[in-house]
Amino acid sequence: MAILRNGGLPNGHTNGHVHAHSPEPSPVSLRFSDIPSAIDIPVQGLDAEEAVEVNLEELLDDPTELCTLLENEGAARNFWMIIALAYAKQHKIDHAIEMLTKGLQAMASSNPKEKLSLLSCMCWLFLWKSREAPRMVPEGQHVSEARTKDYYLQASTATLNEASRINPSFPPLFLARGVLYLLRASLQPPSKSLAPGSTDHAERIETLRQAVRSFEDAHRVSGGRNMMAILGRSRAQFSLGKYADALEGYQEVLGKMPDLLDPDPRIGIGCCFWQLGFKDDAKAAWERALEKDPNSKIASILMGLSYLSSSSQVATTDPSFIPLYKKAMTEYTQKAFKLDNRHPLTCATFGGYFLSRKSMVNVENLARKAIELTDVNAIASDGWYLLARKEHYDGNTTRANDFYQKSDQARGGGDRGYLPAKFGMAQIQVIQQDYDGAKFRLEKIIQQTKSIEAMTLLGTLYADEVFTNQSAGFKEDKSVQVKKATAMLEAVRMAWKDPKRHLSPDSSVLLNLARLYEIEHPEKSFQCLQHVEQMELDQIPDEHRPEKTDDEVADMAALRENVPPQLLNNMGCFLYQAEKYDQATMTFQIAMSACVKVGEKDDTIDTDALVTTISYNLARTYEAAGMLDEAKKVYEGLLERHSDYTDANTRLAYIALRQSPTDLGPKAIAKLYQSDSTNLEVRSLYGWYLGKSKKRTSNIAEDQEQRHYKHTLQHHDKHDRYSLTGMGNLYLSTAREMRRDTDSDKDKRRKTYEKAVEFFDKALQLDPRNAYAAQGVGIALVEDKKEFGAAVQVFSKVRETVRDASVYINLGHVYSDLKQYSRAVESYETALAKDRGNDPQILACLGRVWLLKAKQEKSPLAMRNSLEYSQRALELSPEQPHFRFNIAFVQIQLAQLLYTLPESQRTLQDVQAAAEGLDEAIESLTSIAQSKNPPYPKNDIEQRANMGRNTMRRQLERAVQSQKEYEEKNAAKLRQARELREAELKKREEERRRAEEAAMEEKRKVAEERQKMQERDRALAEKRAEEERKKEEAEFSIDENGEKHKKKKRAAGGERKRKKKGDVETETDGDGTGAEGGSARKRGGKSTTSNSAAVTSDEERKPKRRRKLERKGKAGAEGKTFKSKEIVVESESEDEGGKVDGEDKEIGVGGEEWDAEMRDADDEDVDEAVPRQRKKISRRIEDDDDEDEDGEGDAPPQEADGDVEVGDAQSPEGGDAQGHNADEDVPMVDESIAAAGTSVAPQPEGLVDS
């Protein structure tokens, strides 16, 4: 945004601040600077030089004499103006207004235009009085006598209208009209919130727009020179919320008048930056204002507010909070208050400080000043809010609510308004128990802004509604309130994790969440309590922290003793419910120690109740963990302190019954019942004992347990849920044992089940979370109506609440009926692990379900598991004949199963064991049939024994014989197959061994061949080295100093004859022996001799060729060496010039021979040389430099039927390396390659050049 730039200020004067390199004089305010210290008033009728001198610095308190003097002497209007302004300079505005009023009266008969200045001045004085007048009528003063802001604004309006009637285009009136609109807008309430896209036409907005137009008119008529008009327009734009436009105006004024201090445009620049979010720039502008004027009260209070804002961005526990807050209040706010204790913004700020200090008298005084003296609605709102907080603290809820409303209305009210005031009204509604109104108001606040305080209070209200419903035992469904409370409080909890908010966790929020999660999500509830515990641990002062030792567990336990014991007790209860008994025991023990510390710190706390509760919970934990002796000690300790503690007596009786079910236990139960038979807990335990020890009867009316429950419901409590559930269980067990032979029996049985369901339903109505009653309903569904699916759902839901073995036993029954035997086994095993390992009934159920599973899968292993569980059940209850019958029945079923299985799925040992088991079963059945109370009719048992003795025994004997024969045959087959397999493996092993030997032999031969090749290569290498040594001896000679020198080659001595075109040329040495000098070489259909080449080389070479050779000589010298990929012929001497060495050599260019040849070429007569045309060959030579310069990159063609041999560049025959004559204008291939520094690709053998 361009408007946020420097605003065209020179020399770095950006946004109201400069870089102060040196102290500069502080400019002084120019207001009233043109008022002289004295004035001479001319006297009529006397000498023209005589006048009355009036001292304007010591004016009279009563201006009547001055007015009389001016009237009598007919003084001009400027005298009236000067004296009135002198009074205004001394802040005697009423006297100044009186002077102007008398002046207007004295000039009533003069020209009306003479009054314009006086009227304009009076208008400004009325505006001044309006800013200092109270906003509303003070208490105890009559309305007609009050001189409020509105009174002076009306007077200013009347004066301005009178001046406008005289001359509406009088320039000072435009500026006065703009200020009048500004002050009038400050008394009008802010507009309500608008729909998006709509235009605001509220009264205050229209007034501010008129102010903007008035200031623009003042600026226009002044020709752009009126800086006050620009400041006024910016002030109005700021009130309209157009901060960027206002900033541009303030910066324009500062650029044109950098020394302006009254008013200071830097103040406005800082305010605009603050509203635009550039708070650092705002502080810089205000700091510059303080540099220019250290006594600026507005800049001081604004700097204080900026530091207060910075302190609010950090937590109160942060180390930087105190320095920021102290600097805000002591360095800036206090200074501003000392400069002007009636400044509204300073009063409001200091009022907030005294509110935090609970100094309510100062709060009220400062708040009243802020309200009465301000012309800014926001400051008035702060004043009303301070008064509301003061009354709220004092308990005057009615006045507090009234002040909260005024504070909210001062900022617009409705959807806008002042959020803290709205929240205060919600708090007042909570105090007045108007919870619905408070919730509605808080929900409106949360819709507008995600206020953490509002969300916390609203969530707490919903949570309290849920807790009240739970404690009162109402049946209302509060699930919606639970969800709302949880959502609100969780949102607050998540806000704590935002580092930008700098929020501290609130323990009340966590405790409410823990209570809300207690039933449905106990693990989340425990996490909340852990968070609260950590907060408590963090707040423990260092002097109360124990010294650290090597044992971290002991150190933490000692530190946790400083945590409130109530919190530790609740945490222990959650650990107990989660069956974490070791942790629960430790937590309860630490809570006991914490009770002792709490009692030492505060004697008023009733620690005895805490110790009693925690001790009882500790004893219950010992009980659940199987530590019955420790539990008894704790219970007995409780009874020593409180002998009438019924719960402790009840638990001791139950422990005695568990430890001695036939002797001490029944006596303890009877004693407990006699001592307190009216206690419902005691009656419940006694009813449970009767259900375990009573004699079963088919007539429910004669059942002792039924009579006990019925007596409890009739004479003690008809809503006793335990008795209702017990009655339902009795009717269930009775219906289960009833006969089902006839329709009448079935109908009677069905009605008994319905009676049981009625009791369960009554218990569920009283307690919808009664899991035992719900379990009874599920049992009735299974046994009466066979609704297995619905029963599974009921039991699964109950399993989440009740951690009892009975739930898993019932699930096992249902799964067994549904033929889901694996799940049934799992459920029974879980029930067996729930402290029921010695329950023979569960073991019998496991034996039954394994039997059914074995029959379904025809599994002998499952059958043996069934037999094992049945035997374990009999071991626990050897006197029960039905357990013996179960074992015998399983043994017979196992024998029958093995008989029916094919021989491949059984073993001889299994059949023999089954035969032995059958014999045991026959004996057991015979014994059971002779017992007093057999589980089944005697004849049926005897028939089953006879069947086993006669039929099944013979069947098993045949099975044993057939199994022996099968296993013998199978063993022979296995032996034969094993022998064949071993033979096959032996054969494979032999073949593998032979293959390995052949491979080893092949490797040996290869190794020998490789050794021979290495020896042959070694011999060749030695021979080659010897040849190299001889060659080196031939090329080099040793001088008298013992240094090696290469032998110089002599030039060819023979004559070279040039033949005509088409003739055959021969090449011989100086002695004419062509055979020894080297064989003739064919090149392009011609053969040349060294004699002819030597004769013509120096005579026919052109100057151009010499230059090329010079360049190529230099290039070759730079290129050093070149290694050819073709065979290089090296002449060892002039006698062996034609011999070819097969080894690769480096072709040297630029040696001594080349230099001599070049010197010979310089002496030749190049003018007589005849150029010869050369033929191209297909071989390409990559010569970057010479091809570009010479254009000669081709070489003569090769013979189509022969290999190309390249001669040495230093051949003694004087020809080039390609076999050309020296007089040919063809560069040597070696020279070109050496000059270019590239290589020649080898030509394949046998290919014809194109």
Side-chain angles (χ1 to χ4, degrees):
M1 188 183 298
I3 196 170
L4 300 181
R5 295 176 182 172
N6 296 341
L9 303 181
N11 301 325
H13 290 62
T14 307
N15 302 330
H17 60 89
V18 297
H19 302 286
H21 299 287
S22 59
E24 52 183 316
S26 299
V28 295
S29 175
L30 300 178
R31 185 173 296 189
F32 300 112
S33 59
D34 56 344
I35 303 299
S37 59
I39 187 174
D40 294 334
I41 300 175
V43 179
Q44 294 182 358
L46 298 177
D47 190 359
E49 295 181 358
E50 293 186 6
V52 178
E53 184 181 13
V54 177
N55 187 355
L56 298 181
E57 295 180 354
E58 298 179 0
L59 292 171
L60 300 175
D61 293 337
D62 186 2
T64 305
E65 295 183 5
L66 288 175
C67 292
T68 304
L69 175 63
L70 294 175
E71 288 177 2
N72 294 334
E73 301 301 332
R77 60 181 175 82
N78 61 317
F79 292 102
W80 294 92
M81 285 278 294
I82 291 173
I83 296 175
L85 291 176
Y87 273 112
K89 183 178 181 180
Q90 299 178 11
H91 210 77
K92 299 178 180 179
I93 304 174
D94 292 332
H95 294 339
I97 294 174
E98 183 179 355
M99 287 290 301
L100 294 175
T101 304
K102 296 289 183 65
L104 289 172
Q105 293 175 357
M107 300 176 65
S109 59
S110 61
N111 187 357
K113 292 185 178 181
E114 293 292 329
K115 302 179 181 179
L116 276 175
S117 299
L118 297 178
L119 290 172
S120 177
C121 183
M122 184 180 291
C123 178
W124 282 105
L125 293 176
F126 280 133
L127 294 175
W128 191 347
K129 288 290 291 184
S130 173
R131 296 202 63 181
E132 296 182 351
R135 193 181 185 90
M136 54 195 311
V137 178
E139 295 183 1
Q141 190 173 2
H142 197 270
V143 178
S144 60
E145 299 176 355
R147 297 292 185 266
T148 61
K149 291 180 179 294
D150 186 63
Y151 171 82
Y152 288 108
L153 288 179
Q154 291 180 5
S156 177
T157 304
T159 305
L160 186 62
N161 291 335
E162 183 179 355
S164 298
R165 285 192 291 269
I166 298 175
N167 185 5
S169 59
F170 187 55
L173 299 182
F174 294 108
L175 192 62
R177 188 176 292 108
V179 176
L180 175 62
Y181 283 133
L182 269 181
L183 294 178
R184 185 179 295 169
S186 66
L187 299 180
Q188 296 168 348
S191 60
K192 308 292 183 181
S193 60
L194 300 174
S198 60
T199 304
D200 194 352
H201 294 288
E203 182 182 6
R204 178 174 178 272
I205 299 299
E206 292 298 330
T207 304
L208 289 173
R209 289 171 182 165
Q210 290 179 357
V212 171
R213 288 192 289 269
S214 298
F215 288 127
E216 288 177 348
D217 292 339
H219 183 259
R220 176 178 47 81
V221 298
S222 67
R225 296 187 302 272
N226 193 337
M227 295 297 102
M228 295 298 108
I230 300 177
L231 289 175
R233 182 187 63 190
S234 298
R235 178 65 179 85
Q237 289 171 337
F238 185 90
S239 299
L240 287 169
K242 299 179 180 180
Y243 306 116
D245 297 337
L247 176 62
E248 185 179 11
Y250 286 126
Q251 289 177 331
E252 180 183 354
V253 173
L254 183 62
K256 294 180 179 179
M257 298 184 66
D259 294 334
L260 181 61
L261 293 180
D262 191 14
D264 192 344
R266 300 170 186 82
I267 303 295
I269 289 174
C271 292
C272 293
F273 272 129
W274 188 273
Q275 293 296 334
L276 290 171
F278 302 101
K279 295 187 177 182
D280 292 337
D281 293 334
K283 289 177 65 176
W286 294 331
E287 287 174 350
R288 179 55 180 165
L290 283 176
E291 290 177 6
K292 299 291 288 183
D293 184 8
N295 294 326
S296 175
K297 57 186 179 183
I298 301 177
S300 296
I301 188 58
L302 288 176
M303 283 297 297
L305 290 175
S306 69
Y307 278 102
L308 279 178
S309 176
S310 299
S311 66
S312 67
Q313 301 301 317
V314 298
T316 54
T317 57
D318 192 282
S320 61
F321 173 79
I322 294 179
L324 288 172
Y325 189 80
K326 186 176 181 180
K327 189 171 186 178
M329 299 309 301
T330 59
E331 184 174 344
Y332 291 107
T333 305
Q334 188 176 13
K335 175 184 176 182
F337 189 76
K338 290 179 179 179
L339 292 172
D340 185 1
N341 61 1
R342 292 175 56 83
H343 190 265
L345 183 57
T346 306
C347 292
T349 306
F350 244 134
Y353 168 76
F354 284 115
L355 180 67
S356 63
R357 300 291 297 273
K358 302 296 186 296
S359 179
M360 298 304 170
V361 176
N362 293 331
V363 170
E364 184 169 8
N365 294 333
L366 292 171
R368 294 288 182 185
K369 285 184 180 180
I371 295 170
E372 293 175 357
L373 300 177
T374 186
D375 52 6
V376 179
N377 288 321
I379 299 177
S381 175
D382 291 341
W384 289 119
Y385 180 73
L386 290 173
L387 288 178
R389 290 288 303 276
K390 182 256 181 185
E391 298 297 337
H392 192 167
Y393 180 80
D394 292 340
N396 300 325
T397 56
T398 304
R399 288 173 58 84
N401 192 61
D402 182 41
F403 291 148
Y404 280 134
Q405 289 180 350
K406 289 183 178 180
S407 175
D408 184 49
Q409 293 297 328
R411 276 187 165 92
D415 294 338
R416 298 177 63 181
Y418 192 33
L419 179 61
K422 295 178 186 293
F423 185 74
M425 287 187 280
Q427 289 178 315
I428 296 298
Q429 287 177 313
V430 172
I431 294 175
Q432 296 174 348
Q433 297 184 355
D434 182 12
Y435 300 120
D436 294 336
K439 292 175 186 175
F440 178 77
R441 189 179 297 277
L442 291 171
E443 287 176 351
K444 293 279 289 182
I445 293 174
I446 294 172
Q447 289 176 1
Q448 298 171 13
T449 175
K450 299 297 182 181
S451 171
I452 299 300
E453 292 79 6
M455 294 170 70
T456 302
L457 181 55
L458 183 59
T460 304
L461 289 177
Y462 281 124
D464 286 341
E465 185 178 353
V466 174
F467 302 149
T468 302
N469 183 73
Q470 292 176 353
S471 60
F474 296 148
K475 301 177 183 178
E476 297 182 23
D477 183 16
K478 296 295 182 180
S479 58
V480 177
Q481 285 77 4
V482 171
K483 291 181 180 179
K484 288 184 178 180
T486 304
M488 291 294 174
L489 297 179
E490 279 292 351
V492 174
R493 189 180 180 188
M494 291 299 296
W496 298 341
K497 300 178 181 180
D498 188 357
K500 297 180 180 179
R501 295 191 177 220
H502 303 286
L503 298 175
S504 299
D506 187 356
S507 59
S508 62
V509 173
L510 294 169
L511 293 175
N512 284 327
L513 278 173
R515 292 186 65 183
L516 291 171
Y517 285 136
E518 181 178 1
I519 298 174
E520 298 293 340
H521 305 283
E523 67 283 352
K524 292 184 178 180
S525 180
F526 183 69
Q527 291 175 2
C528 293
L529 294 181
Q530 284 182 315
H531 194 175
V532 176
E533 182 191 23
Q534 187 60 46
M535 292 171 58
E536 294 289 341
L537 292 174
D538 294 339
Q539 294 175 3
I540 297 175
D542 294 337
E543 59 270 15
H544 293 161
R545 291 179 178 269
E547 296 182 0
K548 291 186 178 181
T549 62
D550 295 336
D551 191 350
E552 296 182 0
V553 177
D555 292 344
M556 178 55 66
L559 185 63
R560 293 178 70 189
E561 291 178 1
N562 296 283
V563 176
Q566 298 90 335
L567 176 62
L568 294 172
N569 181 61
N570 291 334
M571 295 178 67
C573 292
F574 279 107
L575 292 171
Y576 173 85
Q577 292 178 359
E579 299 183 359
K580 298 178 181 179
Y581 301 124
D582 294 339
Q583 297 182 32
T585 300
M586 180 182 296
T587 304
F588 286 131
Q589 290 173 347
I590 296 174
M592 294 283 289
S593 302
C595 288
V596 177
K597 286 195 173 184
V598 168
E600 293 174 355
K601 294 178 182 178
D602 190 355
D603 298 336
T604 61
I605 298 177
D606 184 11
T607 57
D608 182 68
L610 286 173
V611 170
T612 302
T613 302
I614 297 171
S615 299
Y616 180 79
N617 292 337
L618 178 61
R620 289 300 305 272
T621 307
Y622 283 143
E623 243 186 291
M627 305 167 64
L628 299 181
D629 295 335
E630 286 79 359
K632 286 176 62 177
K633 292 180 182 178
V634 178
Y635 287 136
E636 290 170 355
L638 285 173
L639 290 174
E640 290 178 0
R641 297 200 310 271
H642 304 282
S643 59
D644 57 344
Y645 197 2
T646 306
D647 290 337
N649 278 319
T650 303
R651 299 314 303 176
L652 282 174
Y654 176 74
I655 292 174
L657 190 61
R658 288 185 60 182
Q659 292 180 336
S660 179
T662 58
D663 185 15
L664 297 178
K667 292 179 181 179
I669 292 293
K671 182 180 178 182
L672 175 66
Y673 185 70
Q674 291 175 2
S675 64
D676 195 0
S677 60
T678 59
N679 187 285
L680 293 179
E681 294 294 331
V682 175
R683 296 189 67 85
S684 298
L685 178 62
Y686 190 71
W688 174 82
Y689 167 71
L690 291 176
K692 294 290 183 180
S693 61
K694 70 181 180 180
K695 294 182 179 180
R696 298 187 181 277
T697 176
S698 59
N699 187 2
I700 193 172
E702 298 177 359
D703 191 276
Q704 294 180 357
E705 185 181 6
Q706 188 267 350
R707 291 180 179 179
H708 176 75
Y709 291 143
K710 186 176 181 180
H711 186 269
T712 302
L713 294 172
Q714 289 179 349
H715 299 92
H716 295 279
D717 185 5
K718 65 179 180 179
H719 298 306
D720 182 37
R721 291 168 290 179
Y722 188 88
S723 298
L724 290 171
T725 306
M727 289 290 286
N729 287 329
L730 282 173
Y731 277 97
L732 270 184
S733 60
T734 302
R736 190 179 301 118
E737 301 296 333
M738 293 178 69
R739 301 181 65 86
R740 288 163 279 183
D741 298 336
T742 63
D743 292 339
S744 176
D745 292 340
K746 292 179 180 178
D747 185 64
K748 186 177 180 180
R749 182 172 180 270
R750 179 182 57 79
K751 290 182 178 179
T752 306
Y753 274 117
E754 291 177 354
K755 188 71 172 177
V757 172
E758 288 180 3
F759 281 107
F760 290 137
D761 186 60
K762 181 66 175 176
L764 287 172
Q765 290 179 8
L766 295 171
D767 182 11
R769 297 185 176 276
N770 191 333
Y772 297 99
Q775 186 174 212
V777 174
I779 295 172
L781 288 173
V782 173
E783 296 181 353
D784 182 27
K785 299 182 179 181
K786 306 300 181 183
E787 296 182 4
F788 301 110
V792 168
Q793 294 181 0
V794 173
F795 293 141
S796 299
K797 192 69 176 176
V798 171
R799 181 179 56 186
E800 298 175 359
T801 305
V802 178
R803 300 177 180 271
D804 190 72
S806 61
V807 182
Y808 295 95
I809 294 173
N810 292 329
L811 275 172
H813 293 339
V814 178
Y815 285 134
S816 179
D817 291 334
L818 291 171
K819 297 184 179 181
Q820 299 179 13
Y821 301 122
S822 298
R823 290 189 175 184
V825 169
E826 182 181 353
S827 299
Y828 287 136
E829 291 285 358
T830 306
L832 198 64
K834 293 282 184 181
D835 197 24
R836 301 287 288 274
N838 297 326
D839 193 334
Q841 297 296 333
I842 300 178
L843 293 171
C845 290
L846 278 167
R848 174 178 174 272
V849 74
W850 275 112
L851 177 64
L852 296 174
K853 183 179 177 65
K855 286 184 176 182
Q856 184 186 48
E857 300 176 357
K858 294 184 179 181
S859 171
L861 179 60
M863 194 70 74
R864 283 191 287 271
N865 288 337
S866 174
L867 181 61
E868 180 185 354
Y869 281 112
S870 300
Q871 291 172 345
R872 288 175 59 185
L874 181 61
E875 291 175 0
L876 294 174
S877 298
E879 72 282 354
Q880 298 293 335
H882 59 278
F883 289 153
R884 295 176 62 198
F885 178 83
N886 291 343
I887 294 174
F889 182 79
V890 173
Q891 288 173 334
I892 292 174
Q893 293 295 322
L894 178 59
Q896 187 174 0
L897 175 63
L898 289 173
Y899 174 74
T900 58
L901 287 175
E903 290 86 352
S904 60
Q905 297 182 11
R906 66 188 183 187
T907 64
L908 180 60
Q909 294 179 353
D910 292 340
V911 179
Q912 291 175 348
E916 294 175 359
L918 179 62
D919 293 338
E920 294 177 0
I922 292 171
E923 293 177 3
S924 298
L925 291 175
T926 304
S927 175
I928 293 170
Q930 301 299 326
S931 63
K932 185 178 180 180
N933 294 316
Y936 293 98
K938 180 179 179 180
N939 293 332
D940 294 344
I941 298 174
E942 289 178 349
Q943 289 178 4
R944 187 174 292 275
N946 292 332
M947 183 186 69
R949 186 181 297 110
N950 297 326
T951 305
M952 294 192 66
R953 181 176 289 175
R954 287 195 295 269
Q955 290 176 349
L956 283 181
E957 289 175 355
R958 290 194 297 270
V960 169
Q961 186 61 31
S962 63
Q963 190 68 25
K964 284 183 179 179
E965 295 176 356
Y966 169 78
E967 291 189 0
E968 288 176 358
K969 293 179 180 179
N970 191 42
K973 291 179 180 179
L974 289 174
R975 185 168 55 254
Q976 184 180 1
R978 190 179 300 109
E979 291 174 355
L980 293 175
R981 177 63 177 169
E982 290 176 355
E984 181 67 22
L985 292 175
K986 187 176 181 181
K987 181 180 178 181
R988 291 181 182 178
E989 181 67 21
E990 183 65 22
E991 292 178 354
R992 186 184 62 80
R993 185 183 61 77
R994 291 176 181 175
E996 289 180 356
E997 290 178 355
M1000 292 295 294
E1001 181 65 21
E1002 183 68 22
K1003 288 182 179 179
R1004 186 185 62 77
K1005 292 180 179 179
V1006 170
E1008 291 178 356
E1009 184 67 23
R1010 184 177 298 157
Q1011 182 67 23
K1012 292 178 181 180
M1013 292 175 64
Q1014 289 178 353
E1015 292 176 356
R1016 186 167 55 252
D1017 291 344
R1018 190 179 301 109
L1020 290 174
E1022 292 176 355
K1023 181 179 179 181
R1024 185 173 182 178
E1026 182 64 22
E1027 292 176 355
E1028 289 288 342
R1029 185 183 60 78
K1030 292 180 178 179
K1031 184 185 294 185
E1032 185 177 355
E1033 290 178 355
E1035 289 181 355
F1036 292 91
S1037 62
I1038 300 176
D1039 57 8
E1040 61 274 7
N1041 296 329
E1043 297 180 355
K1044 282 187 177 183
H1045 293 281
K1046 193 170 183 180
K1047 295 180 180 180
K1048 294 184 180 181
K1049 297 179 182 180
R1050 292 175 296 175
E1055 296 180 358
R1056 301 189 64 180
K1057 297 181 180 180
R1058 186 175 184 85
K1059 301 295 183 177
K1060 296 182 180 179
K1061 184 175 182 181
D1063 294 342
V1064 178
E1065 296 180 359
T1066 59
E1067 192 175 61
T1068 61
D1069 58 3
D1071 297 335
T1073 57
E1076 295 179 359
S1079 61
R1081 284 180 273 182
K1082 297 179 181 179
R1083 194 66 161 175
K1086 299 179 181 180
S1087 71
T1088 58
T1089 62
S1090 59
N1091 292 336
S1092 61
V1095 172
T1096 60
S1097 175
D1098 296 334
E1099 295 177 354
E1100 297 180 0
R1101 191 178 302 272
K1102 292 183 178 181
K1104 177 180 179 181
R1105 178 59 182 164
R1106 186 181 62 182
R1107 290 193 299 271
K1108 291 180 180 179
L1109 291 177
E1110 288 176 357
R1111 284 200 304 272
K1112 292 184 178 181
K1114 294 177 181 179
E1118 294 174 358
K1120 301 286 177 150
T1121 60
F1122 170 77
K1123 181 171 287 188
S1124 173
K1125 294 184 178 179
E1126 300 186 34
I1127 299 174
V1128 179
V1129 179
E1130 180 81 23
S1131 336
E1132 296 183 0
S1133 62
E1134 63 179 0
D1135 296 333
E1136 297 179 348
K1139 293 183 179 181
V1140 179
D1141 190 356
E1143 297 177 6
D1144 294 342
K1145 292 292 182 178
E1146 291 183 358
I1147 303 175
V1149 180
E1152 295 177 359
E1153 291 79 10
W1154 179 253
D1155 295 337
E1157 184 177 341
M1158 291 300 297
R1159 285 194 299 270
D1160 294 339
D1162 291 339
D1163 299 335
E1164 290 175 356
D1165 187 7
V1166 297
D1167 295 335
E1168 298 178 0
V1170 178
R1172 295 186 60 182
Q1173 188 176 1
R1174 51 193 171 86
K1175 298 180 180 180
K1176 297 182 179 179
I1177 62 175
S1178 61
R1179 187 187 313 158
R1180 295 185 58 192
I1181 301 173
E1182 298 180 10
D1183 191 348
D1184 295 338
D1185 298 330
D1186 294 339
E1187 284 183 0
D1188 295 338
E1189 294 173 2
D1190 305 336
E1192 298 176 344
D1194 298 332
Q1198 300 176 356
E1199 284 285 335
D1201 56 349
D1203 295 338
V1204 178
E1205 296 182 353
V1206 181
D1208 188 84
Q1210 301 174 359
S1211 175
E1213 289 81 7
D1216 60 10
Q1218 295 283 340
H1220 296 286
N1221 292 330
D1223 57 345
E1224 277 189 275
D1225 188 14
V1226 180
M1228 298 171 65
V1229 175
D1230 302 56
E1231 297 166 358
S1232 301
I1233 296 171
T1238 58
S1239 62
V1240 180
Q1243 187 72 14
E1245 292 185 357
L1247 296 182
V1248 180
D1249 295 335
S1250 59

